[in-house]
Amino acid sequence: MIEKYVFLMLSSAALASAPTAVTAQQANPPRPALLEGLLACRSVVATEARLACFDAAAAAFDTAEQQGEVTVIDRVQARETRTRLFGLDLDNANLFGRLRQDDPVEAIETTLTSGRQDGRGQWTFVLADGSTWRQIDQERVTARVGPGVSVRIRQGAVGSYLLSVGGSRSVRARRER
């Protein structure tokens, strides 16, 4: 059952200091000490000692999880998180550790909460998932912009995103939050 889960050691300091360049260590981060301790119990030969080791390691892991120092997520939760973070430049933060990313999020579909145009004619869209996207090109938005209208955002070329309101022609957009 443990194979289904990924153990992540997260701290605000680690996330805040995440470097922008990908290194070999980021591609294959070391396992958290708590996980290594738990796995080391398998090598204890004596049955009672092995059980005591597992009990102590599980208790330490449980305490760390309750205190927010370790987070356990499965593949479904990781996919949901990647979807919520779609459009934010977090590729180098390595939030998912060793979790395979064989199903990257290439597009999201949601609904519009609100939209407003600035003095230059560019739109800012607030979506139902709480994200805010700002138009970065000068294309005209031809669809009705109002609450409940469908929105689709997909990846474009070279890190750009294409946002379509109500099935209309796409405009280039960037996620602001």
Side-chain angles (χ1 to χ4, degrees):
M1 189 59 74
I2 201 165
E3 296 87 21
K4 285 184 168 181
Y5 296 97
V6 174
F7 302 93
L8 299 173
M9 182 73 82
L10 298 177
S11 72
S12 57
L15 288 176
S17 65
T20 56
V22 177
T23 65
Q25 188 171 355
Q26 286 174 319
N28 253 339
R31 287 179 162 169
L34 286 171
L35 178 58
E36 286 294 340
L38 180 66
L39 297 175
C41 293
R42 294 187 300 184
S43 64
V44 176
V45 178
T47 304
E48 285 188 26
R50 186 172 54 252
L51 180 58
C53 180
F54 274 120
D55 284 346
F61 197 88
D62 185 43
T63 299
E65 192 274 335
Q66 288 178 11
Q67 293 175 351
E69 294 186 28
V70 172
T71 299
V72 180
I73 62 171
D74 62 19
R75 213 174 290 251
V76 171
Q77 292 168 315
R79 171 94 174 148
E80 290 169 356
T81 301
R82 277 196 297 272
T83 300
R84 280 195 315 275
L85 298 175
F86 182 79
L88 293 176
D89 186 17
L90 298 175
D91 291 340
N92 296 324
N94 195 21
L95 296 176
F96 301 105
R98 298 175 189 272
L99 187 65
R100 284 194 338 242
Q101 294 194 27
D102 54 358
D103 57 348
V105 178
E106 294 177 4
I108 61 168
E109 294 188 22
T110 184
T111 57
L112 191 62
T113 300
S114 67
R116 67 182 183 285
Q117 222 173 354
D118 65 16
R120 296 181 310 205
Q122 291 179 314
W123 287 87
T124 299
F125 304 98
V126 178
L127 306 181
D129 64 6
S131 63
T132 300
W133 292 76
R134 179 161 177 71
Q135 181 183 2
I136 58 173
D137 64 12
Q138 298 299 321
E139 295 295 322
R140 187 169 168 223
V141 175
T142 58
R144 177 183 73 83
V145 175
V149 174
S150 67
V151 174
R152 184 174 195 274
I153 304 172
R154 62 184 169 89
Q155 288 186 316
V158 195
S160 67
Y161 294 90
L162 300 169
L163 183 147
S164 174
V165 179
S168 69
R169 195 165 114 191
S170 297
V171 297
R172 294 204 179 281
R174 147 181 99 239
R175 183 165 177 177
E176 292 192 333
R177 45 187 175 111

